[in-house]
């Protein structure tokens, strides 16, 4: 059955658990791939070039913007982040489902360019939990955590603009909800349009 892949866009405040949920989703689904973003942020301890991010110098990132090499890009918490276009294009054409884990500015840029993209907002059960998770992750300085918490309220205000919201209280439940969204999206008439057209032309 010939179909284009699904494009799933996950956003939500830093520390809400997007990475955790997306990783679990990929592990349970061989057809699902996670896009690797480019960033000008410095690698955190344990982060690997080409696995977690493509780490770039600011001038290289800006050159890629000028060359139109990003599906979307944004400045987030003072650094540049972007989704390289060629990999996404190829994967979707091949029928692979792709996940992007990007900020809200990037998510709305994707919706502009690819209206059939599915926007999923991952929200924390409470702001207190979000703070605990950012501290427990231990990846960012106290100043960096404060910056992320301040942005979180503004980000949460835009959750209702998304197609779906997952409250990540328990990872297993959040993953189940994301799997349910994928299943539902694959039953959408617009997703099955090409298949249905072929069926009646046989
Ligand atoms: P994000 O990608 O949204 O910035 P992470 O996936 O890095 O967030 O998660 C931030 C921290 O919260 C990590 O230490 C992770 O293990 C933890 N975490 C994620 N989901 C949950 C959950 N449902 N309950 C408790 N802790 C969680
Ligand atoms: P972190 O520095 O914690 O890895 O990511 C910080 C923020 O940047 C998160 O909200 C994350 O979703 C976002 N981000 C990561 N990659 C991209 C990207 O390619 N584009 C955009 N717009 N945001 C991204």
């Amino acid at each position: 059955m010939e179909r284009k892949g699904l494009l799933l866009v996950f956003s939500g405040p830093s520390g809400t658990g997007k990475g955790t949920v997306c990783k679990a989703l990929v592990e349970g689904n061989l057809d699902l791939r996670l896009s690797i973003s480019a960033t000008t942020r410095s690698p955190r301890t344990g982060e690997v070039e080409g696995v977690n991010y493509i780490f770039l110098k600011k001038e290289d990132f800006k050159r890629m913007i000028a060359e139109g090499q990003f599906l979307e890009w944004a400045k987030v918490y003072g650094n540049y982040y972007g989704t390289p276009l060629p990999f996404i294009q190829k994967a979707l054409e091949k029928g692979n489902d792709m996940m992007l884990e990007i900020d809200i500015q990037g998510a709305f840029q994707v919706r502009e360019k690819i209206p059939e993209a599915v926007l999923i907002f991952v929200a924390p059960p409470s702001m207190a939990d979000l703070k605990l998770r950012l501290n427990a992750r231990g990846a960012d300085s106290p100043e960096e955590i404060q910056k992320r918490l301040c942005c979180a309220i503004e980000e949460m205000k835009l959750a209702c603009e998304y197609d779906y919201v997952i409250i990540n209280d328990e990872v297993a439940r959040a993953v189940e909800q994301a799997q349910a969204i994928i299943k539902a999206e694959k039953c959408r008439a617009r997703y099955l349009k090409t298949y249905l057209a072929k069926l009646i032309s046989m």
Side-chain angles (χ1 to χ4, degrees):
M1 199 188 303
E2 189 190 312
R3 286 188 203 141
K4 271 182 85 176
L6 270 186
L7 181 58
L8 304 158
V9 180
F10 288 82
S11 309
S14 181
T16 195
K18 303 177 293 295
T20 307
V21 172
C22 288
K23 193 166 164 264
L25 272 172
V26 170
E27 279 164 6
N29 184 341
L30 291 177
D31 295 327
L32 195 55
R33 314 255 158 102
L34 185 59
S35 161
I36 300 166
S37 296
T39 182
T40 59
R41 161 167 88 57
S42 310
R44 293 182 181 132
T45 311
E47 282 186 332
V48 177
E49 163 68 27
V51 175
N52 303 94
Y53 280 107
I54 300 156
F55 294 100
L56 295 178
K57 290 197 187 106
K58 209 189 261 181
E59 57 266 33
D60 292 330
F61 195 100
K62 288 193 166 168
R63 181 183 43 77
M64 284 180 69
I65 296 175
E67 290 172 358
Q69 291 197 45
F70 290 119
L71 167 62
E72 63 71 37
W73 65 271
K75 202 169 179 187
V76 192
Y77 315 128
N79 290 300
Y80 289 91
Y81 293 82
T83 304
L85 187 56
F87 183 69
I88 299 285
Q89 254 171 347
K90 271 189 215 139
L92 293 178
E93 290 301 331
K94 271 204 282 182
N96 292 128
D97 300 330
M98 286 298 304
M99 288 196 297
L100 308 183
E101 194 201 311
I102 63 178
D103 90 308
I104 47 178
Q105 310 168 71
F108 294 126
Q109 288 176 43
V110 173
R111 181 182 266 168
E112 278 286 308
K113 288 191 183 158
I114 308 178
E116 61 272 26
V118 183
L119 269 54
I120 303 170
F121 193 93
V122 183
S126 70
M127 296 315 274
D129 279 299
L130 183 65
K131 193 172 178 181
L132 280 175
R133 287 181 194 176
L134 278 168
N135 282 311
R137 183 165 68 181
D140 302 295
S141 65
E143 298 75 37
E144 197 59 41
I145 289 179
Q146 200 46 48
K147 210 192 286 181
R148 284 160 193 254
L149 284 171
C150 287
C151 291
I153 306 277
E154 292 310 307
E155 291 166 333
M156 297 285 292
K157 285 183 190 165
L158 288 165
C160 289
E161 302 289 321
Y162 277 63
D163 297 309
Y164 296 96
V165 176
I166 293 177
I167 313 284
N168 179 22
D169 48 3
E170 274 176 39
V171 177
R173 192 170 18 212
V175 170
E176 244 176 57
Q177 289 184 353
Q179 284 164 339
I181 292 168
I182 294 172
K183 269 193 193 156
E185 286 295 323
K186 290 198 169 187
C187 295
R188 268 194 193 276
R190 76 166 180 229
Y191 180 77
L192 293 167
K193 217 161 123 188
T194 320
Y195 172 71
L196 291 170
K198 268 199 180 158
L199 204 70
I200 49 175
S201 70
M202 276 174 187

